[in-house]
Amino acid sequence: MSEETKRVALITGAGSGVGRACAVRFAELGFNIVVNYLAVVEEAKKTQALVEAAGGEALLAQCDVSHNEKVVDMIDQVKERFGRIDVIVNSAGTTYYVPPTDLDGMCEGKWDRIMAVNTKGPFFVIRAAMSLLQQVEGAAVVNISSASALSGLGSSIAYAASKGALNTMTKTLARAYAPDIRINAVCPGPIDTRWLRQGLTEEEIEERVSTMPIPELIQPDDVADTVVYLALESTKSTGQILVLDGGRTM
């Protein structure tokens, strides 16, 4: 397959965690990968090396997805390098750990940053990439949401709200662009990442996991499995919000 016809997956937040797992998985499936990252180039280069070891070509794309003009510049780079985008995985996200009773601690600046990255960011990426998505057959978008959007539990009120908004946006865009572009979301429960372990103690993590019917942390590879299912395998699914939380929210 020539580079001009090889499929391309843009993975935001691909420097670590779920984004990295998705980047490697799509590379293993024959995709070239756009490795978007926020700041730590060393982490992005590690993802790049893993992608290349899996047989894909990797484009490093530094971009804060909460800034529309930077997103547009990133998509221009992708167009110049690969000329196409077949799959987008909106994995970039952020939060602050603020107890829901600490209303003053959930200040306006934290609200704005969480909403900008988690809700506006995926919209900016989809909007900027739409013309490329519309040029390929079988284009798909998978937004990484959270079970917090359904339960209200999680790191903060603003985080749960931002993911709830992302779920609604997923449905709206799926309806608007069907049948040509399928747009779905995954709602993981607590994921075993550095982000989780920096925000919670081992005791707090164990307490959360113990209430799950399948009492295990979600692994980044678990999320990648679900993303691939929605992006490539479940070709009649769009506007779906697929929960992956060990049964916690049922």
mmCIF file of all heavy atoms in Angstrom, residues 64-94:
data_model
loop_
_atom_site.group_PDB
_atom_site.id
_atom_site.type_symbol
_atom_site.label_atom_id
_atom_site.label_comp_id
_atom_site.label_asym_id
_atom_site.label_seq_id
_atom_site.Cartn_x
_atom_site.Cartn_y
_atom_site.Cartn_z
ATOM 1 N N ASP A 64 -1.958 22.562 21.553
ATOM 2 C CA ASP A 64 -2.959 22.635 22.604
ATOM 3 C C ASP A 64 -4.315 22.705 21.918
ATOM 4 O O ASP A 64 -4.651 23.708 21.284
ATOM 5 C CB ASP A 64 -2.715 23.885 23.456
ATOM 6 C CG ASP A 64 -3.682 24.008 24.627
ATOM 7 O OD1 ASP A 64 -4.774 23.404 24.583
ATOM 8 O OD2 ASP A 64 -3.361 24.729 25.592
ATOM 9 N N VAL A 65 -5.101 21.625 22.038
ATOM 10 C CA VAL A 65 -6.338 21.537 21.261
ATOM 11 C C VAL A 65 -7.383 22.548 21.703
ATOM 12 O O VAL A 65 -8.399 22.724 21.010
ATOM 13 C CB VAL A 65 -6.933 20.116 21.316
ATOM 14 C CG1 VAL A 65 -5.984 19.110 20.686
ATOM 15 C CG2 VAL A 65 -7.298 19.709 22.749
ATOM 16 N N SER A 66 -7.157 23.231 22.812
ATOM 17 C CA SER A 66 -8.118 24.242 23.250
ATOM 18 C C SER A 66 -7.978 25.544 22.493
ATOM 19 O O SER A 66 -8.794 26.452 22.680
ATOM 20 C CB SER A 66 -7.972 24.493 24.757
ATOM 21 O OG SER A 66 -6.776 25.201 25.051
ATOM 22 N N HIS A 67 -6.957 25.649 21.627
ATOM 23 C CA HIS A 67 -6.736 26.867 20.835
ATOM 24 C C HIS A 67 -7.050 26.564 19.377
ATOM 25 O O HIS A 67 -6.314 25.835 18.702
ATOM 26 C CB HIS A 67 -5.296 27.353 20.982
ATOM 27 C CG HIS A 67 -4.953 27.820 22.359
ATOM 28 N ND1 HIS A 67 -5.305 29.061 22.839
ATOM 29 C CD2 HIS A 67 -4.322 27.195 23.381
ATOM 30 C CE1 HIS A 67 -4.892 29.196 24.084
ATOM 31 N NE2 HIS A 67 -4.295 28.069 24.441
ATOM 32 N N ASN A 68 -8.114 27.132 18.884
ATOM 33 C CA ASN A 68 -8.592 26.791 17.549
ATOM 34 C C ASN A 68 -7.556 27.042 16.464
ATOM 35 O O ASN A 68 -7.366 26.214 15.565
ATOM 36 C CB ASN A 68 -9.865 27.590 17.229
ATOM 37 C CG ASN A 68 -10.419 27.245 15.865
ATOM 38 O OD1 ASN A 68 -10.792 26.106 15.606
ATOM 39 N ND2 ASN A 68 -10.456 28.223 14.974
ATOM 40 N N GLU A 69 -6.855 28.171 16.530
ATOM 41 C CA GLU A 69 -5.902 28.484 15.467
ATOM 42 C C GLU A 69 -4.752 27.480 15.437
ATOM 43 O O GLU A 69 -4.226 27.135 14.362
ATOM 44 C CB GLU A 69 -5.370 29.916 15.615
ATOM 45 C CG GLU A 69 -4.512 30.193 16.844
ATOM 46 C CD GLU A 69 -5.305 30.430 18.125
ATOM 47 O OE1 GLU A 69 -6.554 30.326 18.080
ATOM 48 O OE2 GLU A 69 -4.668 30.722 19.160
ATOM 49 N N LYS A 70 -4.365 26.963 16.608
ATOM 50 C CA LYS A 70 -3.305 25.963 16.654
ATOM 51 C C LYS A 70 -3.798 24.627 16.095
ATOM 52 O O LYS A 70 -3.041 23.898 15.442
ATOM 53 C CB LYS A 70 -2.800 25.795 18.087
ATOM 54 C CG LYS A 70 -2.104 27.045 18.617
ATOM 55 C CD LYS A 70 -1.604 26.851 20.043
ATOM 56 C CE LYS A 70 -0.916 28.131 20.551
ATOM 57 N NZ LYS A 70 -0.448 27.985 21.956
ATOM 58 N N VAL A 71 -5.053 24.315 16.337
ATOM 59 C CA VAL A 71 -5.640 23.098 15.768
ATOM 60 C C VAL A 71 -5.669 23.192 14.246
ATOM 61 O O VAL A 71 -5.324 22.238 13.540
ATOM 62 C CB VAL A 71 -7.054 22.861 16.332
ATOM 63 C CG1 VAL A 71 -7.751 21.736 15.578
ATOM 64 C CG2 VAL A 71 -6.987 22.542 17.821
ATOM 65 N N VAL A 72 -6.068 24.332 13.735
ATOM 66 C CA VAL A 72 -6.101 24.523 12.280
ATOM 67 C C VAL A 72 -4.705 24.347 11.687
ATOM 68 O O VAL A 72 -4.529 23.689 10.643
ATOM 69 C CB VAL A 72 -6.683 25.910 11.926
ATOM 70 C CG1 VAL A 72 -6.510 26.214 10.434
ATOM 71 C CG2 VAL A 72 -8.153 25.982 12.315
ATOM 72 N N ASP A 73 -3.702 24.900 12.357
ATOM 73 C CA ASP A 73 -2.322 24.733 11.881
ATOM 74 C C ASP A 73 -1.918 23.257 11.886
ATOM 75 O O ASP A 73 -1.237 22.787 10.967
ATOM 76 C CB ASP A 73 -1.361 25.539 12.758
ATOM 77 C CG ASP A 73 -1.472 27.041 12.537
ATOM 78 O OD1 ASP A 73 -2.048 27.452 11.517
ATOM 79 O OD2 ASP A 73 -0.994 27.792 13.407
ATOM 80 N N MET A 74 -2.324 22.519 12.935
ATOM 81 C CA MET A 74 -1.996 21.097 13.011
ATOM 82 C C MET A 74 -2.623 20.325 11.848
ATOM 83 O O MET A 74 -1.955 19.497 11.209
ATOM 84 C CB MET A 74 -2.477 20.514 14.337
ATOM 85 C CG MET A 74 -2.257 19.006 14.458
ATOM 86 S SD MET A 74 -2.729 18.320 16.067
ATOM 87 C CE MET A 74 -4.519 18.547 16.031
ATOM 88 N N ILE A 75 -3.862 20.599 11.555
ATOM 89 C CA ILE A 75 -4.531 19.898 10.452
ATOM 90 C C ILE A 75 -3.874 20.248 9.122
ATOM 91 O O ILE A 75 -3.742 19.394 8.227
ATOM 92 C CB ILE A 75 -6.029 20.222 10.435
ATOM 93 C CG1 ILE A 75 -6.690 19.768 11.745
ATOM 94 C CG2 ILE A 75 -6.705 19.554 9.240
ATOM 95 C CD1 ILE A 75 -6.524 18.304 12.064
ATOM 96 N N ASP A 76 -3.413 21.479 8.978
ATOM 97 C CA ASP A 76 -2.677 21.851 7.761
ATOM 98 C C ASP A 76 -1.399 21.022 7.622
ATOM 99 O O ASP A 76 -1.032 20.602 6.516
ATOM 100 C CB ASP A 76 -2.345 23.342 7.779
ATOM 101 C CG ASP A 76 -3.555 24.227 7.501
ATOM 102 O OD1 ASP A 76 -4.561 23.707 6.976
ATOM 103 O OD2 ASP A 76 -3.483 25.435 7.807
ATOM 104 N N GLN A 77 -0.727 20.775 8.742
ATOM 105 C CA GLN A 77 0.478 19.933 8.711
ATOM 106 C C GLN A 77 0.135 18.509 8.272
ATOM 107 O O GLN A 77 0.872 17.892 7.494
ATOM 108 C CB GLN A 77 1.118 19.882 10.096
ATOM 109 C CG GLN A 77 1.717 21.186 10.591
ATOM 110 C CD GLN A 77 2.225 21.043 12.016
ATOM 111 O OE1 GLN A 77 2.849 20.034 12.377
ATOM 112 N NE2 GLN A 77 1.945 22.037 12.838
ATOM 113 N N VAL A 78 -0.978 17.997 8.783
ATOM 114 C CA VAL A 78 -1.398 16.644 8.416
ATOM 115 C C VAL A 78 -1.728 16.574 6.931
ATOM 116 O O VAL A 78 -1.343 15.625 6.234
ATOM 117 C CB VAL A 78 -2.618 16.211 9.253
ATOM 118 C CG1 VAL A 78 -3.069 14.811 8.835
ATOM 119 C CG2 VAL A 78 -2.293 16.250 10.738
ATOM 120 N N LYS A 79 -2.424 17.587 6.446
ATOM 121 C CA LYS A 79 -2.792 17.612 5.023
ATOM 122 C C LYS A 79 -1.553 17.625 4.149
ATOM 123 O O LYS A 79 -1.481 16.923 3.129
ATOM 124 C CB LYS A 79 -3.670 18.827 4.740
ATOM 125 C CG LYS A 79 -4.192 18.888 3.311
ATOM 126 C CD LYS A 79 -5.149 20.060 3.144
ATOM 127 C CE LYS A 79 -5.713 20.093 1.727
ATOM 128 N NZ LYS A 79 -6.658 21.229 1.548
ATOM 129 N N GLU A 80 -0.559 18.405 4.550
ATOM 130 C CA GLU A 80 0.677 18.492 3.766
ATOM 131 C C GLU A 80 1.452 17.183 3.813
ATOM 132 O O GLU A 80 2.011 16.747 2.794
ATOM 133 C CB GLU A 80 1.542 19.638 4.282
ATOM 134 C CG GLU A 80 2.837 19.828 3.514
ATOM 135 C CD GLU A 80 3.648 21.004 4.019
ATOM 136 O OE1 GLU A 80 3.142 21.752 4.887
ATOM 137 O OE2 GLU A 80 4.787 21.180 3.542
ATOM 138 N N ARG A 81 1.487 16.529 4.964
ATOM 139 C CA ARG A 81 2.283 15.308 5.125
ATOM 140 C C ARG A 81 1.588 14.072 4.545
ATOM 141 O O ARG A 81 2.187 13.283 3.815
ATOM 142 C CB ARG A 81 2.572 15.096 6.601
ATOM 143 C CG ARG A 81 3.323 13.803 6.945
ATOM 144 C CD ARG A 81 4.786 13.836 6.535
ATOM 145 N NE ARG A 81 5.508 12.733 7.128
ATOM 146 C CZ ARG A 81 6.078 12.766 8.329
ATOM 147 N NH1 ARG A 81 6.041 13.876 9.058
ATOM 148 N NH2 ARG A 81 6.703 11.717 8.796
ATOM 149 N N PHE A 82 0.319 13.904 4.882
ATOM 150 C CA PHE A 82 -0.376 12.676 4.509
ATOM 151 C C PHE A 82 -1.503 12.869 3.499
ATOM 152 O O PHE A 82 -1.891 11.921 2.817
ATOM 153 C CB PHE A 82 -0.948 12.002 5.755
ATOM 154 C CG PHE A 82 0.090 11.511 6.729
ATOM 155 C CD1 PHE A 82 0.048 11.889 8.063
ATOM 156 C CD2 PHE A 82 1.098 10.651 6.316
ATOM 157 C CE1 PHE A 82 0.990 11.424 8.962
ATOM 158 C CE2 PHE A 82 2.051 10.186 7.214
ATOM 159 C CZ PHE A 82 1.999 10.569 8.542
ATOM 160 N N GLY A 83 -2.089 14.060 3.477
ATOM 161 C CA GLY A 83 -3.152 14.336 2.515
ATOM 162 C C GLY A 83 -4.500 13.751 2.871
ATOM 163 O O GLY A 83 -5.448 13.863 2.082
ATOM 164 N N ARG A 84 -4.635 13.166 4.068
ATOM 165 C CA ARG A 84 -5.907 12.546 4.430
ATOM 166 C C ARG A 84 -5.967 12.314 5.942
ATOM 167 O O ARG A 84 -4.949 12.262 6.623
ATOM 168 C CB ARG A 84 -6.085 11.214 3.711
ATOM 169 C CG ARG A 84 -5.029 10.168 4.095
ATOM 170 C CD ARG A 84 -5.129 8.924 3.224
ATOM 171 N NE ARG A 84 -6.369 8.174 3.457
ATOM 172 C CZ ARG A 84 -6.859 7.286 2.604
ATOM 173 N NH1 ARG A 84 -6.227 7.038 1.467
ATOM 174 N NH2 ARG A 84 -7.971 6.634 2.885
ATOM 175 N N ILE A 85 -7.185 12.167 6.436
ATOM 176 C CA ILE A 85 -7.439 11.691 7.792
ATOM 177 C C ILE A 85 -8.625 10.741 7.711
ATOM 178 O O ILE A 85 -9.688 11.106 7.205
ATOM 179 C CB ILE A 85 -7.750 12.828 8.781
ATOM 180 C CG1 ILE A 85 -6.549 13.765 8.938
ATOM 181 C CG2 ILE A 85 -8.141 12.268 10.148
ATOM 182 C CD1 ILE A 85 -6.828 14.974 9.825
ATOM 183 N N ASP A 86 -8.445 9.522 8.192
ATOM 184 C CA ASP A 86 -9.509 8.521 8.173
ATOM 185 C C ASP A 86 -10.173 8.346 9.530
ATOM 186 O O ASP A 86 -11.373 8.074 9.599
ATOM 187 C CB ASP A 86 -8.930 7.174 7.729
ATOM 188 C CG ASP A 86 -8.354 7.224 6.331
ATOM 189 O OD1 ASP A 86 -7.221 7.728 6.180
ATOM 190 O OD2 ASP A 86 -9.025 6.771 5.401
ATOM 191 N N VAL A 87 -9.391 8.476 10.589
ATOM 192 C CA VAL A 87 -9.895 8.276 11.947
ATOM 193 C C VAL A 87 -9.338 9.371 12.849
ATOM 194 O O VAL A 87 -8.151 9.716 12.763
ATOM 195 C CB VAL A 87 -9.482 6.897 12.505
ATOM 196 C CG1 VAL A 87 -9.826 6.774 13.987
ATOM 197 C CG2 VAL A 87 -10.141 5.768 11.717
ATOM 198 N N ILE A 88 -10.199 9.907 13.698
ATOM 199 C CA ILE A 88 -9.772 10.821 14.762
ATOM 200 C C ILE A 88 -10.136 10.186 16.093
ATOM 201 O O ILE A 88 -11.260 9.720 16.289
ATOM 202 C CB ILE A 88 -10.442 12.197 14.644
ATOM 203 C CG1 ILE A 88 -9.960 12.934 13.396
ATOM 204 C CG2 ILE A 88 -10.169 13.039 15.891
ATOM 205 C CD1 ILE A 88 -10.701 14.233 13.131
ATOM 206 N N VAL A 89 -9.179 10.167 17.004
ATOM 207 C CA VAL A 89 -9.444 9.773 18.393
ATOM 208 C C VAL A 89 -9.136 10.988 19.257
ATOM 209 O O VAL A 89 -7.979 11.388 19.398
ATOM 210 C CB VAL A 89 -8.590 8.573 18.829
ATOM 211 C CG1 VAL A 89 -8.930 8.191 20.277
ATOM 212 C CG2 VAL A 89 -8.804 7.380 17.898
ATOM 213 N N ASN A 90 -10.170 11.570 19.803
ATOM 214 C CA ASN A 90 -10.009 12.748 20.667
ATOM 215 C C ASN A 90 -9.756 12.282 22.088
ATOM 216 O O ASN A 90 -10.673 12.082 22.888
ATOM 217 C CB ASN A 90 -11.251 13.632 20.592
ATOM 218 C CG ASN A 90 -11.269 14.500 19.353
ATOM 219 O OD1 ASN A 90 -10.294 15.190 19.055
ATOM 220 N ND2 ASN A 90 -12.369 14.458 18.621
ATOM 221 N N SER A 91 -8.461 12.098 22.401
ATOM 222 C CA SER A 91 -8.066 11.570 23.704
ATOM 223 C C SER A 91 -7.492 12.635 24.635
ATOM 224 O O SER A 91 -7.355 12.386 25.832
ATOM 225 C CB SER A 91 -7.034 10.442 23.514
ATOM 226 O OG SER A 91 -6.665 9.867 24.735
ATOM 227 N N ALA A 92 -7.139 13.792 24.113
ATOM 228 C CA ALA A 92 -6.583 14.848 24.969
ATOM 229 C C ALA A 92 -7.621 15.271 26.005
ATOM 230 O O ALA A 92 -8.794 15.481 25.686
ATOM 231 C CB ALA A 92 -6.169 16.045 24.117
ATOM 232 N N GLY A 93 -7.185 15.383 27.243
ATOM 233 C CA GLY A 93 -8.102 15.786 28.298
ATOM 234 C C GLY A 93 -7.340 16.326 29.497
ATOM 235 O O GLY A 93 -6.125 16.134 29.622
ATOM 236 N N THR A 94 -8.061 16.987 30.374
ATOM 237 C CA THR A 94 -7.437 17.513 31.587
ATOM 238 C C THR A 94 -8.462 17.574 32.700
ATOM 239 O O THR A 94 -9.676 17.478 32.466
ATOM 240 C CB THR A 94 -6.835 18.907 31.336
ATOM 241 O OG1 THR A 94 -5.963 19.252 32.408
ATOM 242 C CG2 THR A 94 -7.922 19.979 31.218
#
